Amino acid sequence: MRISRRAVALAAVLATVLPLSACGGGSDDGSSDASDAVKGKITFQTWNLQANFKDYFNGVIKDFEKEYPGTEVQWIDRPAEGYADKLSADAAGGTLPDVVNVSPDLVTPLAKAGLAMDLDKDETAAAYGKEYLPGAWRSHQIPGLQGTYAFPWYLNTGPMFYNKRLFEEAGLNPEKPPTTYDEVFESGLRLAEQSNGKIATLAQVPTIEDFGRYGASLMNKDGTGFTFNDAKGVEMLTRYKELFDKKALDSQALTATPESSGTKFLTESVAMNPGSALDLEKFKKEAPRLYKNIGITDQVTSTGKVNMYVMGVMVNARTKQKATSVAFAHFVTDKTRQMSFAKQVAIFPSTKGSLDDPYFTKEDGTDETRVRIAAAKSLDSAVNYTPVLFSEQMKTELRNQVAKALQGKVSPQEALDRAVEACDKLLKQS
């Protein structure tokens, strides 16, 4: 299950929120007082999970309250629609829950406003850091700020599907699919040439994650400006234009969506496409020839590290029950609970060692397991390439400029320079 990362407009509201407007209690630096004890009532908010996982979370809460007598956890679940707005309203009104389900982009404005607890400053919370994959722990760190602002929870990623038949017909080895961008570009030109432009390799224009996986620098270290218009970024976009000109990038890529790209792959007019176990089931029912020739490999990357999406659990910096909130946030995200959750839904644990479990390594002949194992192999060193400060508006600006470059209206360098300029302006406005 991938919960989409929604656009966030919290910063403008939170810029006016005084630190003491949130729930009171606790020390100003986010550390727990020595007198803190795991006791008392806290509130825990999730993001669109109650409908499908009510029994699971009620069980987690019951287990926590049993392990820590004298505690009580009130569970609040909010719908996906308007979740960011609700966080904004709670932050401004001083009603932010004690423990909150967030993604990196959602926690960023809260951290800037002093409302997300810095786990690295709390002795107990910081000690838990070694239990998580390093890349997952870093995913809730924010350029320009020192610290880590949420426990990493579940991860998501997906493998790359490819059509073995199309590769073989183009004279390419179907058992050795391209794994780097250079290899994709070379294979793409070969496929397009051999099919007289009828078979494209990819169906979507490059995203910010692609620039990251290619090796471009995305943002400066202090978080004050974007840098994906560097030599690597220009080089990648130049190569994409070559694909587009030679019909190795689908002609409708400029307006493609994940759904339309999936359809292109389903009809075998595109040779490669990212996906999930749900796609395999669809191929099996709707495109048996494709299913018979399906190949599964890692995401394409030239850095050696694939992209991952991550959810987190944040502690309100002003909670009145800091020790209990930290204990519960860790309890929800510890190895036992994450493994249990991963066996109920198609996500991956962020805790060290979990991906070595037979559930993520042992084949059983099912499509779901094939994809799960392929994805899990890549997560140990995966990173979240999307900058936490990169908003939906910024994604649109980048996409528009990439389209202009592919159409030849501007050069790749000019397109990325314009995109960086627009994104920097939006960054200052936030």
Side-chain angles (χ1 to χ4, degrees):
M1 174 191 62
R2 178 178 298 174
I3 298 178
S4 61
R5 299 175 60 181
R6 300 180 59 82
V8 182
L10 291 171
V13 174
L14 294 178
T16 64
V17 179
L18 295 175
L20 295 180
S21 68
C23 300
S27 59
D28 290 340
D29 65 359
S31 61
S32 301
D33 296 331
S35 60
D36 281 353
V38 181
K39 62 182 180 181
K41 181 177 180 179
I42 62 170
T43 50
F44 167 51
Q45 179 170 292
T46 54
W47 181 359
N48 196 34
L49 295 175
Q50 191 171 50
N52 295 318
F53 307 106
K54 183 177 181 179
D55 291 343
Y56 171 79
F57 284 102
N58 283 336
V60 169
I61 290 169
K62 182 179 180 180
D63 290 344
F64 178 79
E65 292 173 346
K66 181 179 180 180
E67 185 165 329
Y68 296 97
T71 62
E72 180 181 351
V73 179
Q74 179 187 354
W75 179 27
I76 305 165
D77 188 67
R78 302 295 184 192
E81 189 67 30
Y83 189 73
D85 293 335
K86 179 59 180 173
L87 281 182
S88 176
D90 285 343
T95 56
L96 196 66
D98 299 290
V99 180
V100 185
N101 176 194
V102 292
S103 55
D105 52 339
L106 289 176
V107 80
T108 297
L110 295 170
K112 287 186 173 182
L115 301 180
M117 177 179 165
D118 179 0
L119 303 182
D120 293 338
K121 286 187 177 181
D122 181 90
E123 184 176 352
T124 302
Y128 292 136
K130 64 181 181 294
E131 299 178 15
Y132 303 88
L133 295 172
W137 186 258
R138 290 193 297 269
S139 67
H140 289 89
Q141 295 175 351
I142 301 164
L145 296 180
Q146 294 293 322
T148 303
Y149 293 92
F151 285 97
W153 194 7
Y154 56 87
L155 311 175
N156 215 328
T157 189
M160 178 68 80
F161 290 136
Y162 68 100
N163 190 317
K164 290 184 176 182
R165 181 182 66 83
L166 296 180
F167 271 69
E168 189 169 14
E169 289 179 355
L172 299 169
N173 188 339
E175 302 306 322
K176 292 185 178 181
T179 58
T180 68
Y181 283 91
D182 284 345
E183 291 173 352
V184 168
F185 297 144
E186 292 171 7
S187 299
L189 294 174
R190 177 69 177 269
L191 279 160
E193 181 182 3
Q194 293 296 313
S195 66
N196 294 317
K198 293 180 180 179
I199 303 298
T201 298
L202 300 172
Q204 295 189 67
V205 300
T207 63
I208 193 67
E209 292 93 343
D210 287 301
F211 283 92
R213 286 182 298 206
Y214 190 76
S217 170
L218 303 181
M219 196 170 197
N220 60 28
K221 292 183 179 180
D222 59 5
T224 58
F226 294 97
T227 57
F228 52 82
N229 59 338
D230 65 0
K232 276 288 186 181
V234 173
E235 179 181 279
M236 189 186 77
L237 186 52
T238 300
R239 298 296 300 276
Y240 259 89
K241 178 167 173 31
E242 184 180 8
L243 290 185
F244 189 71
D245 291 343
K246 298 291 180 63
K247 298 184 179 180
L249 180 63
D250 187 74
S251 60
Q252 297 177 1
L254 303 184
T255 57
T257 64
E259 292 76 18
S260 66
S261 298
T263 299
K264 290 280 186 177
F265 186 71
L266 184 75
T267 57
E268 299 190 78
S269 60
V270 170
M272 301 184 74
N273 200 60
S276 69
L278 295 177
D279 293 313
L280 271 182
E281 287 298 320
K282 185 175 183 179
F283 302 154
K284 189 175 184 178
K285 293 177 181 178
E286 301 180 18
R289 186 173 74 162
L290 170 63
Y291 180 76
K292 181 181 178 181
N293 293 288
I294 202 72
I296 304 174
T297 187
D298 291 341
Q299 291 178 27
V300 175
T301 177
S302 295
T303 65
K305 297 181 179 181
V306 303
N307 185 62
M308 69 177 175
Y309 302 89
V310 59
M311 277 288 171
V313 176
M314 180 200 93
V315 174
N316 183 347
R318 308 301 172 184
T319 176
K320 293 179 180 179
Q321 302 291 348
K322 190 158 294 182
T324 305
S325 297
V326 169
F328 183 74
H330 171 254
F331 192 83
V332 171
T333 62
D334 71 10
K335 188 173 184 177
T336 299
R337 255 55 59 174
Q338 290 212 44
M339 276 301 303
S340 177
F341 196 34
K343 290 181 179 180
Q344 295 199 27
V345 64
I347 52 89
F348 301 89
S350 62
T351 42
K352 288 181 180 177
S354 294
L355 297 176
D356 296 326
D357 188 275
Y359 184 70
F360 298 107
T361 60
K362 188 175 181 180
E363 291 279 7
D364 62 7
T366 66
D367 291 337
E368 182 180 0
T369 300
R370 289 175 67 195
V371 176
R372 180 170 66 243
I373 291 174
K377 285 180 180 178
S378 66
L379 275 171
D380 190 56
S381 62
V383 298
N384 181 16
Y385 281 107
T386 305
V388 296
L389 302 174
F390 202 70
S391 68
E392 292 296 323
Q393 283 181 285
M394 294 173 187
K395 292 177 185 178
T396 299
E397 291 289 348
L398 175 59
R399 185 181 182 89
N400 289 343
Q401 292 301 327
V402 164
K404 290 179 180 179
L406 296 180
Q407 293 171 317
K409 295 179 178 179
V410 296
S411 70
Q413 181 73 67
E414 186 176 3
L416 294 182
D417 287 346
R418 288 181 177 183
V420 164
E421 182 180 2
C423 291
D424 285 348
K425 185 178 295 185
L426 289 168
L427 183 63
K428 291 177 181 178
Q429 291 174 358
S430 68

